[in-house]
Amino acid sequence: MPVRQGLIPAAGAGSRLGPFTNAIPKELLPVGEKAVIEHVVEAMSLAGITDIVIVVSPHKHGLSDYLGSGKRFGVDFTYVVQDERLGLANAVAAGEHVIDGTFAVVLGDNFFAPQTFLADLIGYHAAHRPDTTVGVARVEDVTRHGIILPDGDRVADMVEKPRPTAAPSNLGALGAYVFETTIFDAIARTPPGHKGEYQLTDAIRLEIGEGRDVRYRVIDGIHIDVGTPRDLMRANEWYLRENGHMDDTSSTHAGHQQDGTIRDNL
């Protein structure tokens, strides 16, 4: 059965991108000629998703003003509000009332290429029918990711931003997931963590502890969390170079190297 619903968390403050985000939501900052969230929307559309829930914070009207109804992307948008910024799991839970089946989640401030990454992740989920599929890649800086303990193609454990000495592997979650609606029950029973926030990693760990089928899929290609001015620059350098707008010698390489490892600090 095809996945027709997607959810994009886009309620974050973007404090590390100040002063830019004093005036514009971080998801609307450009990568190439498009806002970073547009690349996510296009990946969802390419994967066959037609209904997209965009989670925003109160007064963050710029996203709906810019994106509109979704018509120009060939999809339908539903905007829901995360009343307080209480973590990624809380943002996902904000969309529960409009999700009615298997759905994909991709963070609205993350840049992936090629855009087929999500279709591949959904295809894997459809073939194996787990409760949750986590998109991962080998990462250099484990302190920036939820890190999984792999067991074959299943996830045996998952730790949020561990110290390097405590990391169970170097396979880090990239902010792309496919969920069954059982995740909402897990989120509802997940206790708050640091700063009172509810982490999606903790909800997935709860699923694992209760014996649910949680799997991972390695995402090939480029992934950049556009969370700092330097990362925004890296994403634009890669995009402009790959689309023939700049010489290869004029910028540093960003994203995956040939060995498939994400370079977090280039």
Side-chain angles (χ1 to χ4, degrees):
M1 182 177 178
V3 175
R4 65 177 184 82
Q5 288 188 297
L7 185 146
I8 303 176
S15 56
R16 292 180 299 163
L17 281 162
F20 306 114
T21 48
N22 292 341
I24 183 173
K26 62 178 177 176
E27 297 84 6
L28 295 185
L29 291 172
V31 174
E33 73 280 5
K34 304 171 186 176
V36 63
I37 195 171
E38 286 188 72
H39 295 282
V40 176
V41 170
E42 289 177 353
M44 286 192 169
S45 178
L46 185 64
I49 291 171
T50 55
D51 298 307
I52 299 177
V53 179
I54 300 179
V55 181
V56 300
S57 58
H59 313 301
K60 202 168 179 180
H61 304 301
L63 283 162
S64 58
D65 290 344
Y66 180 86
L67 294 171
S69 68
K71 182 178 180 180
R72 66 188 172 100
F73 302 103
V75 300
D76 292 318
F77 291 146
T78 300
Y79 297 91
V80 300
V81 176
Q82 182 186 18
D83 293 321
E84 297 180 78
R85 293 187 176 109
L86 293 177
L88 181 56
N90 182 259
V92 172
E96 180 178 5
H97 64 291
V98 289
I99 296 290
D100 60 13
T102 308
F103 67 107
V105 171
V106 181
L107 304 189
D109 57 356
N110 279 222
F111 174 71
F112 292 88
Q115 289 184 334
T116 51
F117 78 94
L118 186 58
D120 179 67
L121 194 66
I122 289 172
Y124 176 87
H125 187 91
H128 297 278
R129 303 303 300 173
D131 296 286
T132 289
T133 300
V134 183
V136 305
R138 292 191 299 274
V139 298
E140 283 198 326
D141 186 355
V142 296
T143 67
R144 297 182 61 179
H145 302 268
I147 303 299
I148 70 165
L149 173 62
D151 179 13
D153 59 357
R154 288 180 165 84
V155 180
D157 197 6
M158 192 171 182
V159 183
E160 180 68 13
K161 298 178 181 177
R163 299 186 312 276
T165 55
S169 75
N170 66 347
L171 289 171
L174 302 186
Y177 311 85
V178 185
F179 291 115
E180 299 301 318
T181 55
T182 51
I183 191 63
F184 294 123
D185 176 64
I187 291 172
R189 293 182 290 108
T190 298
H194 183 58
K195 296 182 180 179
E197 295 184 348
Y198 297 85
Q199 298 299 337
L200 198 54
T201 295
D202 293 336
I204 294 171
R205 286 192 81 188
L206 186 61
E207 286 194 306
I208 295 168
E210 294 178 345
R212 291 197 174 275
D213 188 1
V214 177
R215 302 199 182 203
Y216 71 94
R217 176 74 167 174
V218 173
I219 293 177
D220 294 319
I222 296 297
H223 167 263
I224 301 174
D225 175 356
V226 184
T228 67
R230 187 165 182 260
D231 291 329
L232 180 64
M233 181 177 69
R234 289 171 55 217
N236 275 284
E237 285 181 347
W238 184 90
Y239 184 87
L240 293 172
R241 183 177 62 250
E242 292 300 309
N243 286 276
H245 298 303
M246 63 192 303
D247 194 306
D248 284 343
T249 61
S250 65
S251 66
T252 58
H253 185 70
H256 286 295
Q257 300 290 323
Q258 289 183 350
D259 65 358
T261 302
I262 291 180
R263 307 303 189 193
D264 293 294
N265 295 296
L266 300 178

